[in-house]
Amino acid sequence: MGSTAAERRKDEFLAMVSHELRSPLASIQYASRALGSLHMEAGDRHRMQTLIERQLHRMTRLLDELTEVSRIANGHLHLQHERVDLREVVRNAIETLEADITARAHRLCVLVPDVAVWMRADPARLEQVFVNLLANASKYMDVGGELTVSMHVTESDAVVRVRDSGIGIAAEALPRIFDLYRQAHDSDPRSRSGLGIGLAVVRNLVTLHGGSVTAASRGFGQGSEFIVRLPMGS
Ligand code: ADP
């Protein structure tokens, strides 16, 4: 890709970040003005405080994501390797997303080996990989979707597949979805709620672990599958 295209994407990204920060700020400003007014019932006061907290939480999450990306992009990330059972890592990621998956009434099927899948990895970073993939799977399915997480071991690798029955990805968009700031469904409100960062983080973290990640989809409306391969010896 030429640098102008990359620059344009970055400009769009910055515009999106500004927008994402501006809207919670506007809510906070509104609520704080309201709280300043003398005649306010306790119930309204509580509602305004909750609004402020929710918006602050949203901004914090966004800033955390941005810090994370710049750290990864600048190579300032040091993995803390330890001996981990990949099944445990995946289970923790599922636990993190469980409330969201249940709230959206998705059916979740988890197929992992009966025995431990040992490898050397940074458990927190690896968990983030699966959290991002599961969050996307949940987000890009209509309510009541099918989500399958499966794991198997080959001679050299552990392979984890995250499959959903969601909106899918058009063939022409597939090769680019792991690029930073890239979104495959520009006009879809679900894409608009994100920043096109999650999959870039996934790819970087998997690569740092010596593995690879690929995406497959039969096309729009046909669901998607993300396949993570991690070397067992790493
Ligand atoms: P976003 O914040 O936009 O979700 P990501 O980097 O996580 O950013 O994903 C990039 C794009 O890839 C998304 O905007 C979406 O178009 C597409 N995508 C990611 N995961 C899925 C999925 N499970 N199903 C359909 N499309 C997906």
Side-chain angles (χ1 to χ4, degrees):
M1 172 186 317
S3 67
T4 28
E7 269 161 29
R8 200 181 56 236
R9 248 170 48 213
K10 189 157 193 169
D11 285 347
E12 282 168 13
F13 171 76
L14 288 175
M16 200 156 45
V17 170
S18 311
H19 171 80
E20 289 284 319
L21 287 172
R22 212 181 301 277
S23 80
L25 262 185
S27 303
I28 291 169
Q29 200 172 32
Y30 160 76
S32 99
R33 281 215 189 103
L35 281 173
S37 75
L38 291 175
H39 311 292
M40 195 176 218
E41 287 174 15
D44 287 337
R45 189 169 292 277
H46 179 69
R47 227 166 28 85
M48 290 300 145
Q49 273 160 349
T50 312
L51 177 84
I52 290 178
E53 260 157 44
R54 207 174 45 237
Q55 297 301 335
L56 284 176
H57 179 69
R58 191 172 147 193
M59 290 177 77
T60 309
R61 222 181 41 216
L62 176 70
L63 289 170
D64 282 349
E65 253 189 18
L66 289 173
T67 313
E68 179 70 12
V69 169
S70 69
R71 228 191 271 147
I72 295 173
N74 295 323
H76 289 157
L77 193 74
H78 297 293
L79 296 184
Q80 307 271 329
H81 274 106
E82 53 186 82
R83 191 164 178 263
V84 298
D85 178 358
L86 186 61
R87 300 177 313 162
E88 220 27 57
V89 174
V90 169
R91 277 191 204 120
N92 289 341
I94 290 171
E95 216 173 280
T96 304
L97 262 298
E98 203 139 42
D100 173 82
I101 292 168
T102 310
R104 295 184 48 74
H106 298 320
R107 269 186 307 275
L108 173 65
C109 175
V110 183
L111 304 161
V112 297
D114 292 334
V115 291
V117 179
W118 293 114
M119 61 175 56
R120 286 193 66 73
D122 182 325
R125 299 304 181 179
L126 214 46
E127 185 181 322
Q128 198 179 346
V129 166
F130 298 110
V131 165
N132 287 6
L133 292 178
L134 289 166
N136 277 348
S138 175
K139 179 163 84 162
Y140 293 106
M141 284 195 290
D142 289 335
V143 291
E146 300 269 353
L147 174 49
T148 308
V149 182
S150 63
M151 185 186 304
H152 74 273
V153 174
T154 70
E155 233 167 61
S156 53
D157 297 328
V159 183
V160 182
R161 294 166 182 267
V162 178
R163 196 167 70 217
D164 67 61
S165 62
I167 59 174
I169 300 165
E172 60 274 18
L174 268 178
R176 296 258 170 239
I177 52 166
F178 291 97
D179 292 355
L180 197 49
Y181 318 131
R182 176 69 68 167
Q183 299 193 307
H185 309 92
D186 287 341
S187 55
D188 190 296
R190 283 172 285 209
S191 261
R192 274 196 244 121
S193 73
L195 293 170
I197 287 176
L199 287 182
V201 166
V202 165
R203 186 175 58 184
N204 280 318
L205 290 176
V206 171
T207 307
L208 281 170
H209 278 90
S212 66
V213 55
T214 52
S217 172
R218 290 212 198 97
F220 195 69
Q222 304 288 308
S224 312
E225 184 171 44
F226 288 80
I227 304 162
V228 178
R229 284 172 199 279
L230 294 160
M232 299 282 287
S234 64

